[in-house]
Amino acid sequence: MSPDFFKRAAQWIVGEDTGLSSISIWAHMMGVVPEDGFTSPSDPSDLGRCLRLLRSFPEWNQRIAEMADCGHGWRAIAPHWRELEQLMADEVGIDWSKGNAAPRTWARMRALLNPVKA
């Protein structure tokens, strides 16, 4: 990895568009374990932060399936990542430029994360 890559990664982790789930992706891809463990996205806002991180680091986007090894939530979400990405992009855009509520994305995430309750 180039010095530019490490600079971009360092800048991202201290930026404002972070959350526990996107930090979990960052940590896994950087080869470290978050102090509080890995957290999966729990709602469309979390998902959006993860998707925007992966837009900034496209080399990680192709490795998202690896996150399935990072806990129960990731095991449920990672196999459906492309579906969730497309659903959110269509519904509100990953930057929320098309709207301010993502009920279809939220419903699908709930169904994946809580199959017994959904």
Side-chain angles (χ1 to χ4, degrees), residues 23-24 26-38 70:
I23 289 170
S24 292
W26 182 93
H28 173 76
M29 300 300 174
M30 294 297 289
V32 297
V33 176
E35 190 172 298
D36 294 329
F38 292 99
C70 296

Side-chain angles (χ1 to χ4, degrees), residues 1 4 28 37 41 45 50 60 66 71 75 79 82-83 85 94:
M1 290 183 234
D4 176 61
H28 173 76
S45 292
C50 292
W60 292 347
E66 295 174 21
R75 232 178 340 273
R82 302 295 171 231
E83 172 194 357
E85 179 179 26
I94 69 164

Side-chain angles (χ1 to χ4, degrees), residues 5 11-12 24 54 62 66 82-83 88 109 112:
F5 171 86
Q11 187 61 51
W12 182 87
S24 292
L54 295 175
Q62 60 193 343
E66 295 174 21
R82 302 295 171 231
E83 172 194 357
M88 185 164 181
M109 291 178 75
L112 292 168

Side-chain angles (χ1 to χ4, degrees), residues 36-112:
D36 294 329
F38 292 99
T39 303
S40 63
S42 61
D43 60 33
S45 292
D46 286 342
L47 179 64
R49 284 186 287 274
C50 292
L51 293 170
R52 290 187 298 277
L53 166 65
L54 295 175
R55 289 267 167 99
S56 296
F57 295 89
E59 59 271 39
W60 292 347
N61 196 23
Q62 60 193 343
R63 296 177 52 202
I64 197 66
E66 295 174 21
M67 294 304 295
D69 295 331
C70 296
H72 173 73
W74 279 110
R75 232 178 340 273
I77 291 276
H80 302 277
W81 194 258
R82 302 295 171 231
E83 172 194 357
L84 292 171
E85 179 179 26
Q86 189 63 56
L87 187 58
M88 185 164 181
D90 291 346
E91 190 171 26
V92 293
I94 69 164
D95 60 356
W96 295 89
S97 61
K98 297 179 184 178
N100 58 9
R104 292 189 329 255
T105 304
W106 176 227
R108 183 63 177 135
M109 291 178 75
R110 278 195 329 254
L112 292 168

